[in-house]
Amino acid sequence: MDNSGLYSLYYFLEEKVYFVPIVLFLLLLRGGFAVERGKNHTFFLLKMQTVSLQNVYMGKVLHGIGVLTISTILIVTFIAVMGTIVNRFGDWYYPILHYDHQQLVNSPTYTGMISEGKGFHFVPLGEIVIKNTILFFLCSLLIMIKSQLLSIVFKHMFSVFMVTIFIFGTGYVVTSFKFTEIALFLPFTYFRISEVTHGALTILFDNPNLQFYMGCFPLIISTVLLTLISF
């Protein structure tokens, strides 16, 4: 197996190892408002400064976005650098297989390859890594915002962690075999990062629109809606 920097990063996002740092992100952010309850919370100090709870919430959101952004950059950089030190950076244009939906294959403008009636084409490794990284960040951001909302409802960090993991875990599993008709609009669908960027979901759910660019919209819209509800 090639152990270059690019391929190591590709493998990290391909084999669903990215769920580990997502859980660590939740621990790092400490459950949003849940950590403010107890003997050492900072609400009294903030209220003395006449800071509204809405501003406190937005401060936590911005802090969470900053932590996720820096952490994502550090993780991606670390994996790429380690692979580069061990072997080399890798080939940006190394071809990665991408499955094409039959509807696209039957189109007169289709330019991919066809084998035994199935269509496919190749995508550069670097492009796949960038798309996977963006989806990884958006999924982490959605989970963080959801935990912030739950921290307003639940008083303990452990409850926030467990309910957050339960909601997204259940959504991830359920969308595997149900709601395939509306899977295009569900953010849980796009937690299968590698399957989205490889085109495999278009085959599994029989929907040619289950692509990377379409996947960004439900994740971003869900994040904005949860932020507004929490605010």
Side-chain angles (χ1 to χ4, degrees), residues 60-72 137 141 144:
K60 285 189 172 293
V61 169
L62 293 176
H63 168 258
I65 293 174
V67 170
L68 289 179
T69 302
I70 295 173
S71 300
T72 301
F137 175 77
L141 183 61
M144 184 272 291

Side-chain angles (χ1 to χ4, degrees), residues 204-217:
L204 294 175
F205 289 172
D206 192 22
N207 191 328
N209 296 316
L210 280 167
Q211 303 286 350
F212 164 76
Y213 295 104
M214 184 61 198
C216 292
F217 287 106

Side-chain angles (χ1 to χ4, degrees), residues 16 18-20 56 65 71 96 103 105 136 138 204 216 228:
K16 295 181 175 55
Y18 54 84
F19 282 117
V20 175
V56 174
I65 293 174
S71 300
I96 301 296
Q103 182 175 325
V105 176
F136 166 65
L138 291 178
L204 294 175
C216 292
L228 293 176

Side-chain angles (χ1 to χ4, degrees), residues 108-126:
T109 59
Y110 180 67
T111 58
M113 306 177 188
I114 300 177
S115 176
E116 298 181 356
K118 306 298 181 182
F120 64 94
H121 68 278
F122 293 99
V123 180
L125 172 61

